[in-house]
Amino acid sequence: MPKILIVGGGYAGFYTAWKLEKHLRKGEAEVTIVDPLPYMTYQPFLPEVAAGEIEARHVIVGLRRHLKHTNVVTAKVTGIDHATKTATITPADGEPWQQSYDQIVVTAGAVSRTFPIPGIADNAIGLKTIEEAVAIRDRILTNFDRAANLPPGPERDRLLTVVVVGGGFAGIEVFAETRALASSLLKDYPQLRFEDTHFHLVEAMGRIMPEVSLKTSEWVLKSLATRGANVHLDTQLTGAIDGNVELSTGETIPTDLIIWTAGVMANPTVVRGSDLPAEERGRIRTRADLRVGTPEEAVEGAWAAGDVAAVPDLTGGGVGGYCVPNAQHAVRQAKLLAKNIVAVLRGEAPHEYVHKNLGAVAGLGLYSGVFQSGKFALKGFLAWCAHRGYHGLAMPSWERKWRVIGDWWHNFWLHRDNVSLQTVQNPRYVFEEFAARPRPAAPAAPAAAPAAAAIDPKSVEAEKAGKTPAKKAPAKAKAAASKTEEKADASA
């Protein structure tokens, strides 16, 4: 039975395995998917998770629950030797092992791309995982609790300041959603005013959201400005040591939350650990039919899709001639990839990936959004409905769809559940504080020093003369004891 190994369980990996289960006949191939996480994250919903609009568990798709006929391995692929068709799988516990395969599908996705700016690695947080979205939400809620107990001043301002770096779709969405979250919290904190909260967006380019028209992006800027947003265009971040954000304009912004959304890059662990060809941006070189290789020559038995792959955009709309790294392309590529693998297994020719971008849609907080398709644009409430409608339907499986829709319905009537669970990151803190511990053992008493013996000058002189008076003492003692015994016998 041919063995198909899928590296990565994100959009492209999950959908490839999901569709292979649908298209493969029973016993036609054995499919294994390897990812360090046991779930796929629907990343377009991360800004809403950060804003408390959707429950975190509802935007992830459990691999074992939804992939009934796929071997799910929770581990990392740290090496690919396609020359021998083996992959090195490294689990969190135990020793690595070699996994053989006949067909490999590389869908390892992307990670946050950062620059060597002082303080970023230590103080910033990305927005690529569900854990990061939850941490952002809890940090904002916790900082409101802390700030409410402080008088007006620099420390309170620092706690109520959020800085988002990157003006793409992810940055704008999390910026707008967290701004809406902060505004909704003020009714529960009478000590704080709207003017006490500060939100800053830093973008190196002269505009935001390059995926939409300039006119639409300018409307977004005006919409954010009415909500008290501070947008710094043509500005770079030069430092973030101890939470003090330093800008290229010379301005310094003290903050307790820095959200980094300034770009992504292909998963370097997988790309660098493989012998598959890569292009100059670190992505696996992929053909239009999703086989690894060049237009002239394909690498037999190797496939790639999603953010980790440089897939040619045959519609001509992609940046640099390649498909942009987004969920729209990843899902559609995965669906075609599954069909192409089945076709090759059955001796048929694979098809090329051709998909014209349907447009871009973003949520800007409750009841506000933006949608752009070609020259057509929607703004405001209708665009917000389009955003929720599109992503609600795009969420994999009806089981997940109903959970997300249920969150929206409940929040419409009951509003956000604005309680921080930041302490869940250290769940044993109460137990540790009050847990009884063994008393330390009492230190051992020091041993008594032996009394110093008196030195007899005559003994010293005798020793020098070669005599040993010290040995006579026992003999005299024995003689005295013998006389005592004789007297005792006589009296008896």
Side-chain angles (χ1 to χ4, degrees):
M1 188 186 300
K3 296 180 180 180
I4 302 172
L5 177 64
I6 302 174
V7 181
Y11 290 115
F14 171 79
Y15 270 94
T16 299
W18 207 26
K19 296 305 176 180
L20 280 173
E21 291 189 349
K22 177 181 178 181
H23 299 311
L24 287 171
R25 304 188 188 102
K26 186 176 181 180
E28 189 172 8
E30 177 186 327
V31 182
T32 300
I33 187 169
V34 182
D35 194 279
L37 298 174
Y39 53 82
M40 181 272 275
T41 302
Y42 191 76
Q43 294 179 354
F45 281 149
L46 292 183
E48 291 194 56
V49 173
E53 284 293 327
I54 303 178
E55 168 62 32
R57 290 181 181 271
H58 296 170
V59 304
I60 60 176
V61 182
L63 299 180
R64 298 181 189 276
R65 176 170 184 173
H66 293 87
L67 299 177
K68 300 297 185 181
H69 307 292
T70 301
N71 300 321
V72 178
V73 179
T74 306
K76 291 183 179 180
V77 173
T78 54
I80 299 174
D81 185 359
H82 193 65
T84 61
K85 290 193 173 181
T86 57
T88 303
I89 299 179
T90 305
D93 302 296
E95 296 297 324
W97 72 86
Q98 302 296 315
Q99 180 95 8
S100 61
Y101 60 83
D102 298 293
Q103 304 282 336
I104 190 168
V105 180
V106 183
T107 54
V111 298
S112 296
R113 181 190 62 181
T114 59
F115 306 102
I117 300 173
I120 284 295
D122 300 322
N123 298 297
I125 185 171
L127 191 66
K128 291 292 291 180
T129 67
I130 190 65
E131 293 84 1
E132 290 173 327
V134 172
I136 290 171
R137 173 185 178 274
D138 286 343
R139 176 67 67 85
I140 292 175
L141 296 174
T142 299
N143 283 356
F144 264 75
D145 289 333
R146 295 170 60 190
N149 296 325
L150 296 175
E155 180 59 19
R156 192 169 83 169
D157 288 341
R158 185 182 69 84
L159 292 173
L160 298 177
T161 299
V162 177
V163 176
V164 177
V165 184
F169 257 61
I172 292 298
E173 285 192 291
V174 72
F175 182 78
E177 292 286 358
T178 52
R179 170 71 268 186
L181 169 63
S183 298
S184 71
L185 291 175
L186 293 172
K187 66 181 184 300
D188 299 323
Y189 294 87
Q191 309 93 328
L192 305 177
R193 301 175 303 164
F194 181 85
E195 295 75 15
D196 296 328
T197 59
H198 313 282
F199 279 71
H200 296 265
L201 177 73
V202 181
E203 170 54 47
M205 297 174 58
R207 57 165 296 182
I208 61 171
M209 303 175 74
E211 300 89 346
V212 302
S213 66
L214 180 60
K215 184 178 179 180
T216 302
S217 69
E218 290 175 348
W219 179 88
V220 174
L221 285 176
K222 293 178 182 178
S223 175
L224 295 176
T226 60
R227 302 185 229 172
N230 300 285
V231 180
H232 307 263
L233 299 178
D234 292 315
T235 305
Q236 296 180 351
L237 191 146
T238 59
I241 298 175
D242 296 330
N244 294 311
V245 173
E246 300 174 3
L247 305 180
S248 56
T249 58
E251 184 179 359
T252 299
I253 306 172
T255 178
D256 193 55
L257 179 57
I258 305 171
I259 305 173
W260 182 273
T261 63
V264 297
M265 64 179 180
N267 191 318
T269 303
V270 174
V271 176
R272 296 171 186 171
S274 76
D275 56 356
L276 298 174
E279 44 96 64
E280 57 275 4
R281 295 188 62 183
R283 297 176 296 178
I284 293 178
R285 196 177 294 279
T286 310
R287 294 157 47 98
D289 60 9
L290 303 177
R291 287 185 290 180
V292 174
T294 62
E296 296 76 23
E297 183 180 4
V299 177
E300 188 273 329
W303 309 77
D307 295 355
V308 77
V311 180
D313 190 343
L314 300 183
T315 66
V319 178
Y322 296 100
C323 296
V324 296
N326 62 20
Q328 187 178 141
H329 281 303
V331 171
R332 286 169 171 79
Q333 288 171 8
K335 293 179 179 179
L336 177 64
L337 196 155
K339 293 180 180 179
N340 282 349
I341 291 177
V342 174
V344 169
L345 292 179
R346 296 173 183 173
E348 302 171 5
H351 296 280
E352 292 185 335
Y353 175 74
V354 181
H355 172 68
K356 186 176 181 180
N357 194 348
L358 297 177
V361 61
L364 303 176
L366 278 177
Y367 313 125
S368 181
V370 61
F371 169 75
Q372 180 90 43
S373 180
K375 295 183 179 180
F376 176 74
L378 279 178
K379 310 177 187 71
F381 178 74
L382 290 179
W384 176 78
C385 293
H387 171 266
R388 287 205 162 179
Y390 172 78
H391 287 297
L393 292 175
M395 186 71 187
S397 83
W398 279 104
E399 179 261 337
R400 293 285 104 177
K401 287 179 174 65
W402 284 121
R403 291 182 187 272
V404 171
I405 294 172
D407 288 339
W408 289 336
W409 177 254
H410 293 149
N411 285 345
F412 177 78
W413 298 103
L414 306 175
H415 307 293
R416 308 173 200 252
D417 189 359
N418 293 328
V419 177
S420 171
L421 292 179
Q422 190 173 41
T423 51
V424 78
Q425 299 171 30
N426 181 24
R428 298 182 64 250
Y429 77 102
V430 174
F431 183 83
E432 290 178 339
E433 181 179 356
F434 297 102
R437 291 176 170 82
R439 293 182 179 180
I455 300 177
D456 186 0
K458 293 184 178 180
S459 300
V460 175
E461 292 179 359
E463 288 181 4
K464 290 181 179 180
K467 301 177 182 178
T468 55
K471 293 181 180 180
K472 296 179 181 179
K476 291 180 178 180
K478 288 180 181 180
S482 178
K483 291 181 179 180
T484 303
E485 291 176 359
E486 292 176 356
K487 290 181 179 180
D489 292 339
S491 60

